[in-house]
Amino acid sequence: MATLCSLVVTLALLTPTQPIASYACRADTKFGRHTLSLRQAVNAAAPATVRPNTRFTVAVDLQPGTLPSEVKGFKLQEVRDLALRIPIPANTSYVGAKLSGGSGLNSTPSVQLDGNTAVVKVAGPIPGGASFQLPTLSVRLKSGRAGTTIETKLKGTSYDDPGLTLQAKIKWKFLSTTAPVACYPDPNPALTRTRVQ
């Protein structure tokens, strides 16, 4: 049986000038618990300043990537039921959200508000080795009081409070299994900052 090891997966064609979202992940498999590091190039946009009680849009655009077909001896067959979570920033109120674009997902993505978090869901399956791009998430917000800075960040603080979850179907030798994967951003810098003035 496989032993606990560190698996490094790069899910994007990275460009040095683009911000990188780095996730610490854990997969629970029949072969044991495995840690993964996921890195995804991301572009995010928001106005630099807004007036109080004004509507504005924050856009989060994850760049195109390619799933690996094999990771440290495990064959990645497919990924399903991916959920990406973006918290609604403090000092804002949620107006709405929409998705645009995306490719190679083999399903129609959806976005919904869960408490104070926008959740992008992709049923898949995305085959191992395939190229894909998640849709751009545009969140419409209303600014709060003046004198504050609104920050857009990814959700997640630990494996038990993940901001990204998915189901990975993997094969090792003659055995196939589906492993739940939970990820949180580490580190988690602000993607955008908007001053209310």
Side-chain angles (χ1 to χ4, degrees), residues 116-137:
N116 204 34
T117 302
V119 183
V120 177
K121 293 186 175 182
V122 177
I126 306 172
S131 297
F132 71 98
Q133 182 171 14
L134 295 177
T136 299
L137 170 65

Side-chain angles (χ1 to χ4, degrees):
M1 287 292 172
T3 58
L4 183 65
C5 61
S6 176
L7 309 180
V8 180
V9 182
T10 300
L11 293 183
L13 302 174
L14 304 180
T15 303
T17 58
Q18 293 176 323
I20 304 298
S22 296
Y23 280 96
C25 302
R26 187 177 67 193
D28 291 318
T29 78
K30 291 181 179 179
F31 316 117
R33 201 170 253 184
H34 298 268
T35 57
L36 304 88
S37 176
L38 305 183
R39 290 167 53 84
Q40 176 70 61
V42 57
N43 286 334
T49 61
V50 293
R51 296 183 62 81
N53 300 312
T54 300
R55 293 187 177 192
F56 68 102
T57 299
V58 173
V60 178
D61 181 21
L62 297 177
Q63 297 301 290
T66 302
L67 286 178
S69 56
E70 185 176 319
V71 183
K72 299 288 187 178
F74 291 91
K75 181 179 180 182
L76 178 62
Q77 295 178 309
E78 65 183 26
V79 166
R80 289 181 178 266
D81 301 326
L82 183 148
L84 175 69
R85 298 167 179 85
I86 308 289
I88 303 305
N91 197 36
T92 68
S93 55
Y94 176 83
V95 178
K98 67 177 183 177
L99 300 175
S100 59
S103 62
L105 303 175
N106 294 316
S107 60
T108 301
S110 64
V111 59
Q112 63 187 46
L113 188 66
D114 182 8
N116 204 34
T117 302
V119 183
V120 177
K121 293 186 175 182
V122 177
I126 306 172
S131 297
F132 71 98
Q133 182 171 14
L134 295 177
T136 299
L137 170 65
S138 298
V139 182
R140 192 76 172 154
L141 302 169
K142 186 176 181 182
S143 60
R145 67 186 184 282
T148 60
T149 299
I150 296 167
E151 293 188 339
T152 305
K153 300 182 83 173
L154 300 169
K155 181 173 174 57
T157 57
S158 68
Y159 299 130
D160 297 320
D161 176 35
L164 173 67
T165 55
L166 55 92
Q167 299 286 325
K169 186 176 181 182
I170 59 175
K171 185 176 182 180
W172 186 67
K173 294 187 177 179
F174 303 108
L175 298 175
S176 291
T177 185
T178 298
V181 180
C183 310
Y184 67 95
D186 181 28
N188 191 13
L191 298 176
T192 70
R193 289 186 174 90
T194 299
R195 184 73 179 168
V196 184
Q197 59 187 38

